[in-house]
Amino acid sequence: MSKPLELSFEFFPPKAPEAEEKMWLAIEQVAAFKPVFVSVTYGAGGTTRNYTHNIARDILKRAPALKVAAHLTCVGATRQEVDQIALTHWQAGIRHIVALRGDPPKGTLKYIPFEGGYAYATDLMRGLRNIGDFEISVAAFPEKHPESLSFEQDIEILKTKAEMGATRGITQYFFDNAFYLRLRDRALKANILMPVVAGIIPISNFASIKRFSAMCGTSIPAWVAEKFEGLDDNPHARDKAAIEFATGQCEKLMAEGVSKFHFYTMNRADLISGIFANLGVGKNPPQNSYTKELT
Ligand code: FAD
């Protein structure tokens, strides 16, 4: 019998106020899948500081059954400023941080630590320990972090994060399962005892996925590109393909014994519901036109 699934869902603070309602609906919908937690991202360059906090805080108020994690990065702020954000989270009852370094600000290629700021995710983790006894999740990279010298360096850093008390690594999204399985197996061999959760992204917009993948080091196999190239002009066909592809990816991972998944939802609960309906996960998962077509 397969292991029970452990699910988490990531949301981003929308820029337009009208998109916020869509995000709340999405959060409400994924709650039906009884996630271990939902998380709220922190804008690149630290751009959504207060907004991230307000959404995470409001999730606690609006959906007390959900556990919430706030993402936090080292970028663009001093240690005191980051500590203050963490303290505000703690005071609002947010007990879980996804602790990250963050990427170089737009228009710059090389990461340079902010003056007086935390330099790396591990430094941020140390700082968080002084604020409160947070649960801490960290990033992991199936295809190597683009700035790392080697995959082995990534493994060493992941091991350090685990030894510093991280609860889990959450992987960057990937499209070729072989990269994830290599990381999982290598982490086990390195005696990294925390789980390495598979990060799954439904391809909700292929053009932007291509752009982002080039920056974050995720490769797009030719067969994935062939499936999605040109589909952005036909959102119905693209969404159907996105559900189909992510379903297949999860099924293959589950066949390899993977049971912990983190979904980069892009605030699109319809895609998540479609995937889970296909997988037969959850209690009466909501149906939509795409899943009906696929069954
Ligand atoms: P680190 O672990 O600090 O590593 C970054 C690089 O520095 C690596 O190459 C590593 O080898 C190297 N390094 C680490 N420690 C040291 C050291 N002591 N000395 C020298 N080199 C070192 N970004 C956002 O802006 N907002 C988000 O909300 C967000 N959410 C994310 C969620 C997940 C699940 C993932 C996987 C990524 C997310 N990111 C987010 C992106 C993340 O900030 C970037 O991938 C970033 O480039 C790396 O972050 P990290 O925490 O892995 O950094």
Side-chain angles (χ1 to χ4, degrees):
M1 214 174 89
S2 55
K3 290 181 249 175
L5 296 182
E6 278 186 40
L7 306 168
S8 51
F9 299 101
E10 176 175 312
F11 296 89
F12 66 88
K15 285 197 183 103
E18 58 274 16
E20 201 176 311
E21 207 37 51
K22 190 175 149 205
M23 179 199 69
W24 285 115
L25 278 173
I27 293 172
E28 209 173 282
Q29 267 187 285
V30 304
F33 300 116
K34 303 201 165 37
V36 182
F37 66 93
V38 297
S39 76
V40 186
T41 63
Y42 191 73
T47 43
T48 61
R49 254 173 237 189
N50 296 335
Y51 206 8
T52 297
H53 171 76
N54 292 349
I55 291 171
R57 177 202 62 196
D58 290 352
I59 292 174
L60 286 183
K61 282 193 201 144
R62 291 167 74 142
L66 282 178
K67 289 201 169 147
V68 67
H71 294 215
L72 186 56
T73 76
C74 308
V75 171
T78 62
R79 284 189 289 273
Q80 286 77 6
E81 286 167 334
V82 173
D83 289 355
Q84 185 53 51
I85 296 168
L87 183 63
T88 311
H89 288 327
W90 183 263
Q91 286 167 341
I94 297 157
R95 295 287 182 261
H96 184 172
I97 303 283
V98 182
L100 305 143
R101 186 201 71 179
D103 285 317
K106 242 187 188 158
T108 54
L109 289 175
K110 199 174 152 29
Y111 174 79
I112 299 168
F114 194 78
E115 209 182 324
Y118 292 112
Y120 295 101
T122 44
D123 300 315
L124 172 59
M125 288 178 74
R126 267 180 223 107
L128 289 173
R129 289 281 172 248
N130 296 326
I131 307 291
D133 187 19
F134 287 108
E135 175 173 356
I136 297 179
S137 296
V138 294
F141 296 88
E143 299 182 57
K144 184 182 93 57
H145 184 274
E147 294 161 49
S148 292
L149 298 174
S150 64
F151 185 65
E152 288 311 308
Q153 183 187 347
D154 273 3
I155 294 291
E156 272 170 39
I157 284 165
L158 195 60
K159 191 169 165 71
T160 304
K161 290 172 176 175
E163 286 168 355
M164 287 175 68
T167 308
R168 65 179 67 69
I170 303 172
T171 75
Q172 185 55 273
Y173 68 81
F174 56 92
F175 299 114
D176 183 340
N177 286 350
F179 289 118
Y180 169 80
L181 296 170
R182 173 185 68 160
L183 172 62
R184 180 191 67 172
D185 295 348
R186 190 61 196 82
L188 261 182
K189 211 169 143 203
N191 213 16
I192 294 174
L193 301 177
M194 69 178 177
V196 179
V197 177
I200 303 290
I201 195 163
I203 300 179
S204 58
N205 181 316
F206 189 57
S208 51
I209 287 278
K210 264 201 301 193
R211 259 197 319 276
F212 194 69
S213 300
M215 290 189 307
C216 73
T218 295
S219 58
I220 302 184
W223 48 275
V224 176
E226 270 161 35
K227 191 174 171 75
F228 285 93
E229 201 68 72
L231 281 189
D232 283 339
D233 295 335
N234 183 346
H236 182 81
R238 184 195 53 208
D239 289 354
K240 183 170 179 283
I243 290 172
E244 204 174 65
F245 179 77
T247 302
Q249 191 180 11
C250 292
E251 280 172 343
K252 289 184 195 102
L253 288 167
M254 285 154 77
E256 294 282 350
V258 179
S259 60
K260 296 177 172 56
F261 293 93
H262 179 80
F263 285 86
Y264 296 91
T265 70
M266 309 308 288
N267 297 359
R268 291 281 309 271
D270 55 336
L271 299 182
I272 301 298
S273 298
I275 296 161
F276 283 16
N278 291 338
L279 292 173
V281 174
K283 217 173 157 204
N284 305 319
Q287 286 281 312
N288 63 34
S289 58
Y290 313 118
T291 51
K292 278 187 205 124
E293 276 176 36
L294 288 168
T295 45

